[in-house]
Structures are given as C-alpha cells and as structure tokens.
Amino acid sequence: MAVACCILFTTNGFILSGLTVFDSRMLIELGLSNTALRLRDTITIATLGITMPIIGYMIDRLPVRPILVGGLLTMVFAFAAYTRVDALWQIYALHILLGICQATSGVLACVFLVSGSTGQHRGMALGVLIAGSSAGNAVVPGLNSILLDHWPWRTAILSGAVAGCVLIPLVLTIVREPPRAASPLAAAHSGAGSSFVPMLRSPDFTTLAITASGTVFCVMVLATNLSLYAVSPGVSRASLGPLLLLALFGAAVAAQVLAGAATYRLPAWLIHMVAVIVMGAGATVLAVAPANFALPAVALFGLGWGANSTMLQVRPTMLFNGPSLGLILSLLALTETMGGALGPVVAGYIRDRTGSFAPVFALVAGLMVVLALLTFLAAPRKRTTDALSTALDR
C-alpha cells in the first residue's frame, strides 16, 4: 500500500496541481490566454476518461504491475519533453500522454491493488491511499515553487520526470499482485455476470455517478485556478497560491484518513452525505466572503472533498464488489472525468470573459448546493445498504 500511496502522490501531485505553479511563466513566455492553457487540463482529464474503461477492462484480466510501470514511463517521457515545448499543440499532445499516465498509474489501478488485499480494513486502507493523492496535490506545488525560485521553469519542470524514475524500481521490486475474484468469463458462465447491467441501472450507481461528476468538476476548477487567483487584481499575492493549494489538499488528506476510519462505525452513505454538504459550505463561503476568507473557505472545501473522494472509492467497492469491479470503477471514473474535464476550460472561459474569479466561484458554490441537496434527498433510502459488513459477505 505504501508504494500505491507514493504513486498517487506523484501522479496527482505533479500532473494536476504541480504544473499550475508554472502557469504564470508559461502564459508570458508562450503568449497564451488563460482559456487556451486551461484546455490542456481538460485534455488531460478527457483522455483519462476515454481510456479509463479500457484500462479497467485490462485490470480485470491482466497483472497490475506492468500497467503501473507503463504509466510511469509515460509520465517520465512527458515531463522530459515538456522542457522543449514552444507551441500550444505540443502542450496539448503531452497532456494526452499525461492523461494516459493518470489512467494507467492513477486511482483506478491503485484502488484495485489495495482493495483486493485489505479485506475488512478496506475502508481505512482506501482512505489512507486516497490521502496520498491529496498529499501530492498539497505538497508538490510548494516544492515546485521552491525550484522555480532558483531555476528556469523548463528546468524546474523536470522534477516530474525524476519522480517517475524513482517510482519505477519500487513498483518492480515491492508491488505484488492482489488476490482476485473469479474471472469475469467464469462469472458470466455461472450467471453472476448477468448482474453487471442491473448494477449500472441501479439508483446507487446513478447517484454516485452524478455526485462524482459534479464534485470533481468543482475541485478541478479550484485546483487549476487558485494559483492564478492569488495573483489576480484585488489579491496580488503570489505566495498565496501554494498556501491555498496546501489548504485545499492538506485538509483533504486529514479528511480522507478520517473518513476511511469512520467506515468502521458509520454507514458510508452518511459519511458521503456530510462530506458533500461540507464541500458546499466551503464553496459558498469562498463565493460570498472577501478574499481574506479564501484560505479558511478553501480549507473547509478541502475537508469535504477529502471525505467525498474517499467515499467515491469505498462505496463502489462495497456496493459492486465482484469479478467486474475494475470495469465498474472505470465507468464511475469516466463520469468523474467528464465533469473534471469541463472544469478548467469552463472556469478559464468565464475568467477571460468577465475578468474576475467571482463568477467562477459562484458557479462552484451553486453546483455544490445542488449536489448537497441531491445527496440529502437520496440518503433516506440508503440506510445501511452499503455497510462494510454486508459488502464483505457477498
């Protein structure tokens, strides 16, 4: 599990939030608009979403280690090539590769690796695992800022390639394949495979898909724009950018571990509902309060996001555990990435048209209020259907 945490720390930290530290330099040197640059993040997430079902299908049938190594090699190449970019199309092409890296060496493979080998401690283990991704998003921007103070951005960006190189030997020497359920083909012959389509039609899947798509949209809006918000008119504090990202993902780390531990005593649906409501509260404060309240508002949003992101991994393994778990996780991840892919480019467009981040934050707050209402209204019928003990008996 330690290696899986390190993988998520690296892939999420360097690809999602770590690159945003270089945005102000890239906008000036390459003469780009914010909308054009934000489209690279949309391309990353869209590529992740498109390839995720394929990777899920592969994970159900192939060893996980080669998939992880292939993704890390892709990351090393992409970050090394980033030092040579001088045109927008080159950036977009590299972010296609980074999206493939996220699909092969991201949450899906790591969740499959950990959930298959932790048994009754699955909730806590997945909470710690997902905390690794938020820790990367919290820490890496600060590290890259330090590098940027001493080196040109093209040199500092090599940190992503170095991190990928360090992880590859760890995967090869430490990671072991998890025990697997019956193969999907065998399950289909025994009749168990026929339950796959009803799972996708179930209210649980629909609610999870909508919540995942909306919440990831909101967190991607913040994660990819907080650094630019910090240097915008009315704020103009470059040092605030890394602090906001640290507040967002640092709070998420604590909440992810706590949410995983809470599954021992509380129904997962209840934890999930409270998490989305807390996200909505943080987004509302960020939208309506002065800039001086940005740091606590983002931290509050991060607390909700941390617990939400853990439940988005824990609840599917409880509700849909079986031989097609990899494919089901990938389909849920596809809905996440559809929302996440829209986040950066929609926020960039609104910012370019209005010249302010206020309407961007207002959009996030409004969407989070709707999602909070959805989870609240869906809660009464959940009861304990996704309790951990029930899932483990299946």
Side-chain angles (χ1 to χ4, degrees):
M1 190 177 78
V3 175
C5 282
C6 290
I7 292 172
L8 289 190
F9 179 98
T10 301
T11 55
N12 281 273
F14 281 92
I15 295 173
L16 293 182
S17 62
L19 278 173
T20 65
V21 173
F22 308 110
D23 285 357
S24 58
R25 305 284 180 90
M26 294 175 64
L27 288 172
I28 296 172
E29 182 175 325
L30 301 178
L32 304 175
S33 69
N34 187 31
T35 303
L37 188 60
R38 291 279 70 79
L39 184 56
R40 73 169 187 198
D41 302 308
T42 294
I43 289 172
T44 304
I45 302 169
T47 304
L48 168 64
I50 292 169
T51 55
M52 193 74 80
I54 301 172
I55 301 303
Y57 183 86
M58 293 171 60
I59 286 174
D60 281 333
R61 290 158 174 77
L62 301 175
V64 179
R65 281 203 311 171
I67 297 174
L68 291 172
V69 171
L72 292 173
L73 286 172
T74 304
M75 177 179 175
V76 171
F77 173 81
F79 273 94
Y82 228 120
T83 63
R84 312 283 297 189
V85 298
D86 55 17
L88 189 59
W89 71 267
Q90 294 171 334
I91 294 176
Y92 291 164
L94 291 180
H95 277 264
I96 292 175
L97 294 180
L98 291 175
I100 294 173
C101 168
Q102 287 264 274
T104 51
S105 299
V107 171
L108 179 60
C110 291
V111 166
F112 185 88
L113 195 66
V114 171
S115 66
S117 57
T118 49
Q120 63 180 342
H121 303 294
R122 181 188 304 151
M124 182 64 185
L126 289 177
V128 173
L129 174 68
I130 302 304
S133 65
S134 290
N137 283 313
V139 173
V140 172
L143 296 177
N144 282 347
S145 294
I146 295 173
L147 295 177
L148 197 57
D149 288 338
H150 296 86
W151 291 327
W153 72 268
R154 292 180 185 273
T155 303
I157 210 169
L158 275 173
S159 58
V162 173
C165 287
V166 170
L167 283 175
I168 291 173
L170 294 180
V171 173
L172 292 174
T173 57
I174 297 177
V175 171
R176 296 291 179 265
E177 294 295 322
R180 293 174 179 263
S183 70
L185 184 59
H189 284 304
S190 66
S194 60
S195 64
F196 175 70
V197 173
M199 285 180 185
L200 300 185
R201 294 176 177 173
S202 69
D204 287 315
F205 184 90
T206 302
T207 302
L208 281 174
I210 294 173
T211 304
S213 180
T215 54
V216 173
F217 173 92
C218 293
V219 79
M220 285 304 301
V221 167
L222 296 188
T224 57
N225 284 281
L226 287 176
S227 293
L228 289 177
Y229 167 72
V231 297
S232 64
V235 184
S236 300
R237 286 178 53 198
S239 61
L240 181 61
L243 285 177
L244 289 173
L245 288 169
L246 179 61
L248 175 63
F249 293 108
V253 170
Q256 283 160 340
V257 176
L258 291 174
T263 58
Y264 289 120
R265 298 194 176 268
L266 297 173
W269 65 263
L270 178 60
I271 302 170
H272 198 186
M273 180 186 70
V274 173
V276 176
I277 291 173
V278 171
M279 286 181 73
T284 302
V285 174
L286 182 63
V288 303
N292 291 338
F293 290 87
L295 199 59
V298 168
L300 183 61
F301 183 92
L303 284 173
W305 164 246
N308 171 74
S309 60
T310 295
M311 291 302 103
L312 288 177
Q313 306 306 320
V314 171
R315 293 191 64 207
T317 66
M318 293 176 174
L319 292 165
F320 311 118
N321 190 31
S324 296
L325 177 61
L327 185 56
I328 292 171
L329 287 174
S330 69
L331 292 175
L332 280 171
L334 175 60
T335 66
E336 290 184 28
T337 55
M338 289 172 63
L342 289 173
V345 70
V346 168
Y349 176 79
I350 294 174
R351 171 65 176 82
D352 284 344
R353 291 295 299 268
T354 65
S356 171
F357 279 101
V360 175
F361 295 154
L363 173 64
V364 171
L367 180 56
M368 283 309 312
V369 169
V370 171
L371 292 173
L373 288 173
L374 172 65
T375 57
F376 178 77
L377 293 174
R381 67 175 182 78
K382 299 294 183 188
R383 297 184 178 89
T384 57
T385 55
D386 53 358
L388 180 59
S389 59
T390 302
L392 292 175
D393 289 338
R394 292 177 180 176

